[in-house]
Amino acid sequence: GMPQLSTAFIQLSIPAAGEEQGTKAPSIDCIISLPPDHPPADTKDLALSPSARRSSVDSLASIHFIEGDQGQKFYMAWAASHITRAADDIFDASQSKGKTCMLPCHDDDLQGHNHDLQGPSVFNPRNMIAVALIATMGILVICYHPKSLDLNVTNKQLLHSKNHHNSQHEYFKEKSIQQSHPSQKEESQQHRLLWGLSSFFDPKSVALRKPFGSSTDHAMSNLKERFYVPNLSPYNQHNIIMTPPAFSRELFLLYYDPTEDAFLIYIDEKKDEYQSPVYSPTWGRLNAVMPILTSALRNHFSDRFQGAAGGSSEFIIFVSTGDIPKLTCDCVRKEERVRRPIFCQNEIFAPILQFGSVYKDVTILPNLVAMPVWSHLPCFTEWQSEGSICLELKMRSDIAGVFGGEEALIADALAGELKQTSFSVWDTLTPTLVWRGSEWFFLNCIHPNLLPVKWDRDIEPRIAHFGNHARGVMQSLLELWDNLPPRWKAATLTAMAELDAEEMSEAGTKDNEGGDVDFEQQHHVPWIDAKFTIKSKIHGKHVEPMLDRYEPFQEYGIQMTSEQMMSLSELSKYKYHIDLGGGGGTTWFGTIEKLAMPGVLFHHVTSSKDYHHDDLIPWVHYIPINEDLSNLREMYDWAEANTEDARKISEAGTEYIKNRAMPHVMKVTYERYFVHSLKRVVDAYQPMEGEEVMGQMKDWLSKWSFLVGKCSGRSDENCEFKNWRVDE
């Protein structure tokens, strides 16, 4: 009965290794300090909130009656948290007497508490040693009790992981830390710990799941079960008016006007430039989205859109086509949303149909509805209008998994003459992780500190310290590691790998002056080849290549760029691929193209996702790579050491791409977005009542936006847009 002191006697009953459930477990009597909040209501809360009071002995005892290994897991996690908390409390109390007290205690230890307790002080050496032994015993039991923690890792795997970690740490210590200032060494070592095994999950410890697409039933169930649509609250004109100010650009409004029986398209021309002398990205995206969207609304919800004569009311929905929703950064970051509660009322914004990548954190935009990315819509449009599979999906399916020569095989694929190869493609692939792409920012609202490298700002001031040579440049990049976007990190790893390979090859040549070592042993191939490609056109307009950004690196023999894009045929000759995310955190075509190749995909798992990512399963269709690339080399080493498992993952990814061209898969995919998702939005909209309210809404539209198009919704070419081209 001492809630003020927040203390309790607890008996920890820890099952010994190898004991069967139901047998009496040995117990340890100990005294630990507990928070004064209420005990958990059920086992789920127990796992999330490990707390209890002395008065709740029954709830603690019930832990032992949870059936199955999961109950043991909950119990051990609970015990571990309190054992470690007890040790922390003792330390804190020993530093400041009277903060925390464990029973029994002297009166003078209970400063500020009106309790008459007598007994030896908890701070005497005997008590502290006893509690330290209890904490140590608990930690040892948790570490060496695989059954309770549900660990299926063998001692051999643990030893391999430990050796792997040590070798990686020594490598980066030798290559990256030896030239640091003493004051910088500790910080650099912390950065290198990103390469540890903290997030490593060996798929050999579990059975590989049945790949998506291995059967029709599995394909259909996966499409249905993993589909997520947010719960949409009713919304009206008030929610609509509050939404646009929080967006920086690429937010469009679709307004169904029953008097015209047509869908009107509005944009904010102050934020989105519509007219252009060369090409209008705004028009291009609207022209891809609005025809299929309005046709779906008209065809699948015909009773709702009958015009004024049919008694239909207006309907309003926002459409976004950004790489990621262009919400202002203040409304993306949680801490900023708290500071601006009136401006960033994200939870009451009107629903938005996002035809691009979406944030995985649904609290950023709770009413965001993920749709297919706008560049993938032509295939959905063809299915909607003709019920047929588009040519792109057919070709990708026909040549999926074929080694090299994709361009040369297209004609055969179209003619139906493509034949499968008779040899094992996997064994012929080059064991290098390859990537080609443009330099771009990366989820700048979530990671504002990640900036592309500029020589004058970032490298030149550092090489004076690290050395005016290639290794000095590499060390300068490594010092910037935590502020590099993922694509710059991959390019940096490539430069390091190439430099290491060159040095090892030179050393091998010198050691082989007698000719005892063959060329393959002398020549070392870099494990990664990720380089930037230079764009000469953006949105159809010629631009000056940004060669000056990379030329200083070349002067030190460091090649950060590739002279030209690698064709799909060239890329398909490599065993390992990675789809490094761009501005929206993903790559709209890269993931699909690389899944189709005979190599295996290292999928860049970021804070965002595309509409088809929920259909893909880690360790089934791809090898997962952390957002900061901290496990990239580790996963490469795993794939090299487990080549058969890597090949199975590659085959499952290829099968997934083939299934995308199946009519029943396309049907389910189309319906999930253009029927089920749209129905949720249509049902959530609350029509305006009264002429006055309608007039106010139209007045707001005229002031906020600019009418750029009108769609009937009665065919796939049903939209008319204002002319976007203007003379320079």
Side-chain angles (χ1 to χ4, degrees):
M2 297 181 62
Q4 297 94 327
L5 292 179
S6 305
T7 57
F9 288 92
I10 293 187
Q11 184 181 73
L12 301 180
S13 298
I14 303 175
E19 282 190 344
E20 297 295 328
Q21 284 202 354
T23 61
K24 183 174 178 58
S27 63
I28 302 171
D29 293 323
C30 65
I31 305 167
I32 65 177
S33 176
L34 297 171
D37 53 338
H38 291 285
D42 54 35
T43 57
K44 181 179 179 182
D45 292 335
L46 179 67
L48 298 175
S49 177
S51 60
R53 294 187 300 179
R54 181 183 179 186
S55 59
S56 303
V57 177
D58 292 340
S59 66
L60 298 179
S62 66
I63 299 171
H64 298 287
F65 298 99
I66 303 172
E67 295 183 358
D69 291 341
Q70 192 66 20
Q72 291 184 347
K73 191 171 181 180
F74 286 166
Y75 172 72
M76 297 299 289
W78 181 89
S81 68
H82 285 300
I83 289 172
T84 54
R85 182 179 296 176
D88 289 340
D89 286 346
I90 292 173
F91 177 79
D92 291 339
S94 66
Q95 301 297 315
S96 179
K97 205 171 186 183
K99 274 187 178 180
T100 306
C101 183
M102 300 181 67
L103 300 178
C105 307
H106 279 306
D107 284 340
D108 57 356
D109 288 327
L110 301 175
Q111 299 176 11
H113 300 283
N114 297 321
H115 297 283
D116 296 325
L117 296 174
Q118 299 293 330
S121 172
V122 70
F123 304 116
N124 66 57
R126 185 178 300 173
N127 283 4
M128 295 187 70
I129 292 173
V131 177
L133 288 174
I134 292 171
T136 303
M137 183 176 296
I139 293 171
L140 289 174
V141 170
I142 292 168
C143 291
Y144 294 99
H145 198 291
K147 182 178 179 182
S148 293
L149 290 180
D150 203 19
L151 296 176
N152 295 315
V153 182
T154 65
N155 292 333
K156 182 178 180 181
Q157 290 170 324
L158 289 172
L159 181 62
H160 169 74
S161 297
K162 181 178 179 182
N163 293 337
H164 179 73
H165 169 70
N166 290 338
S167 64
Q168 281 189 339
H169 180 74
E170 290 300 321
Y171 174 82
F172 280 99
K173 181 178 180 182
E174 177 184 355
K175 298 291 186 182
S176 307
I177 302 177
Q178 59 184 356
Q179 298 174 1
S180 300
H181 282 309
S183 61
Q184 297 170 333
K185 187 173 295 186
E186 182 178 354
E187 182 180 357
S188 298
Q189 288 174 338
Q190 291 176 349
H191 293 174
R192 299 290 75 76
L193 291 179
L194 291 172
W195 301 88
L197 294 168
S198 59
S199 59
F200 180 55
F201 176 69
D202 189 346
K204 291 181 72 64
S205 65
V206 297
L208 288 175
R209 284 177 283 180
K210 196 173 183 181
F212 174 90
S214 58
S215 70
T216 299
D217 292 340
H218 186 79
M220 297 293 287
S221 64
N222 210 40
L223 279 169
K224 293 177 180 178
E225 292 174 4
R226 299 175 69 84
F227 177 44
Y228 168 79
V229 178
N231 291 321
L232 299 178
S233 302
Y235 72 101
N236 55 27
Q237 73 274 13
H238 300 295
N239 306 89
I240 293 165
I241 293 174
M242 293 179 62
T243 304
F247 282 77
S248 60
R249 57 191 174 93
E250 291 188 71
L251 183 71
F252 315 122
L253 185 142
L254 185 65
Y255 179 92
Y256 174 71
D257 188 342
T259 59
E260 296 189 41
D261 193 20
F263 298 90
L264 309 180
I265 304 166
Y266 293 89
I267 71 169
D268 184 350
E269 203 171 27
K270 296 177 182 178
K271 297 179 179 179
D272 295 291
E273 185 178 356
Y274 182 74
Q275 294 184 315
S276 170
V278 179
Y279 178 75
S280 170
T282 300
W283 170 84
R285 297 189 176 199
L286 288 173
N287 193 44
V289 170
M290 293 305 178
I292 184 173
L293 175 58
T294 55
S295 292
L297 289 170
R298 177 76 76 179
N299 295 333
H300 302 308
F301 309 96
S302 56
D303 293 342
R304 174 63 178 79
F305 302 102
Q306 293 287 330
S312 297
S313 58
E314 88 291 341
F315 172 75
I316 304 175
I317 183 64
F318 283 111
V319 174
S320 170
T321 61
D323 294 345
I324 200 77
K326 300 301 182 181
L327 193 65
T328 58
C329 291
D330 286 346
C331 294
V332 172
R333 303 180 190 125
K334 183 177 181 180
E335 61 275 13
E336 295 296 331
R337 295 203 303 269
V338 173
R339 293 177 188 174
R340 307 188 67 183
I342 297 178
F343 180 71
C344 298
Q345 300 188 62
N346 300 18
E347 68 280 357
I348 61 174
F349 286 165
I352 301 167
L353 301 178
Q354 167 64 9
F355 289 87
S357 303
V358 300
Y359 291 114
K360 289 180 179 177
D361 182 359
V362 296
T363 65
I364 294 177
L365 277 172
N367 294 326
L368 191 74
V369 180
M371 301 292 284
V373 298
W374 64 268
S375 57
H376 292 191
L377 289 180
C379 289
F380 289 93
T381 300
E382 183 170 337
W383 177 264
Q384 182 191 71
S385 60
E386 302 177 16
S388 59
I389 302 297
C390 67
L391 184 61
E392 177 186 343
L393 287 179
K394 287 180 180 178
M395 289 193 301
R396 232 182 262 287
S397 174
D398 289 339
I399 63 179
V402 176
F403 173 65
E406 289 194 5
E407 291 86 349
L409 291 169
I410 287 178
D412 290 339
L414 295 177
E417 299 174 357
L418 185 64
K419 298 179 181 179
Q420 293 294 328
T421 54
S422 58
F423 60 92
S424 175
V425 172
W426 178 260
D427 295 331
T428 67
L429 303 177
T430 302
T432 297
L433 180 65
V434 66
W435 176 84
R436 290 293 184 273
S438 59
E439 178 186 341
W440 208 249
F441 64 89
F442 176 76
L443 292 174
N444 59 318
C445 284
I446 293 181
H447 303 292
N449 62 308
L450 302 185
L451 300 173
V453 174
K454 291 185 178 180
W455 181 270
D456 295 342
R457 180 193 65 194
D458 302 318
I459 306 300
E460 192 170 12
R462 289 177 168 82
I463 57 176
H465 165 66
F466 291 119
N468 192 23
H469 44 70
R471 284 291 179 190
V473 175
M474 286 293 96
Q475 183 60 35
S476 300
L477 286 168
L478 288 173
E479 191 181 60
L480 296 166
W481 185 261
D482 288 345
N483 294 319
L484 294 180
R487 293 184 177 185
W488 262 100
K489 287 183 177 180
T492 299
L493 292 174
T494 298
M496 291 177 60
E498 290 180 344
L499 193 58
D500 291 343
E502 181 181 347
E503 291 177 354
M504 288 188 289
S505 297
E506 289 176 356
T509 301
K510 291 179 181 179
D511 295 340
N512 190 39
E513 292 179 355
D516 296 331
V517 183
D518 60 24
F519 175 78
E520 290 297 329
Q521 290 175 293
Q522 294 180 37
H523 184 66
H524 295 269
V525 178
W527 68 274
I528 183 173
D529 181 9
K531 294 180 179 177
F532 297 118
T533 52
I534 307 300
K535 285 187 175 182
S536 59
K537 283 185 178 181
I538 296 179
H539 297 314
K541 185 176 182 179
H542 288 275
V543 296
E544 288 294 327
M546 296 187 298
L547 295 176
D548 57 335
R549 183 187 294 270
Y550 310 108
E551 284 176 353
F553 291 94
Q554 295 178 6
E555 295 175 3
Y556 288 83
I558 299 172
Q559 191 68 35
M560 306 296 289
T561 63
S562 177
E563 294 182 0
Q564 59 185 7
M565 292 285 292
M566 292 180 71
S567 66
L568 295 180
S569 174
E570 293 173 306
L571 287 171
S572 67
K573 297 176 183 179
Y574 288 83
K575 186 173 288 186
Y576 308 119
H577 304 272
I578 186 168
D579 55 346
L580 293 170
T586 68
T587 171
W588 289 353
F589 285 104
T591 302
I592 293 175
E593 289 174 346
K594 292 166 185 179
L595 280 170
M597 291 181 181
V600 65
L601 173 65
F602 286 56
H603 177 48
H604 191 201
V605 181
T606 71
S607 301
S608 63
K609 63 180 181 179
D610 293 340
Y611 70 103
H612 59 276
H613 284 182
D614 286 341
D615 296 332
L616 301 172
I617 305 172
W619 297 114
V620 174
H621 302 104
Y622 62 83
I623 297 173
I625 301 300
N626 296 340
E627 187 170 72
D628 61 0
L629 307 192
S630 56
N631 66 337
L632 182 58
R633 180 57 194 260
E634 183 183 342
M635 294 298 98
Y636 172 86
D637 290 342
W638 176 88
E640 282 287 273
N642 300 273
T643 181
E644 183 62 20
D645 287 333
R647 183 186 62 79
K648 291 178 181 178
I649 295 172
S650 172
E651 291 176 350
T654 299
E655 193 70 17
Y656 168 81
I657 296 301
K658 290 182 176 181
N659 275 333
R660 283 171 58 90
M662 292 182 178
H664 64 275
V665 174
M666 187 63 188
K667 179 178 183 294
V668 171
T669 306
Y670 173 85
E671 289 178 351
R672 65 153 60 162
Y673 297 108
F674 293 99
V675 178
H676 303 307
S677 289
L678 291 185
K679 184 179 188 304
R680 300 289 293 277
V681 178
V682 170
D683 291 345
Y685 180 71
Q686 304 295 300
M688 293 177 280
E689 297 180 358
E691 293 294 330
E692 183 178 356
V693 176
M694 290 285 293
Q696 292 174 353
M697 186 64 190
K698 290 185 177 180
D699 183 59
W700 174 80
L701 273 176
S702 64
K703 293 178 180 179
W704 168 76
S705 57
F706 173 61
L707 181 64
V708 297
K710 179 189 295 187
C711 302
S712 67
R714 291 187 170 86
S715 68
D716 58 344
E717 297 180 359
N718 67 83
C719 297
E720 297 179 358
F721 290 93
K722 290 184 180 295
N723 182 27
W724 57 265
R725 187 181 295 277
V726 295
D727 296 330
E728 288 187 284

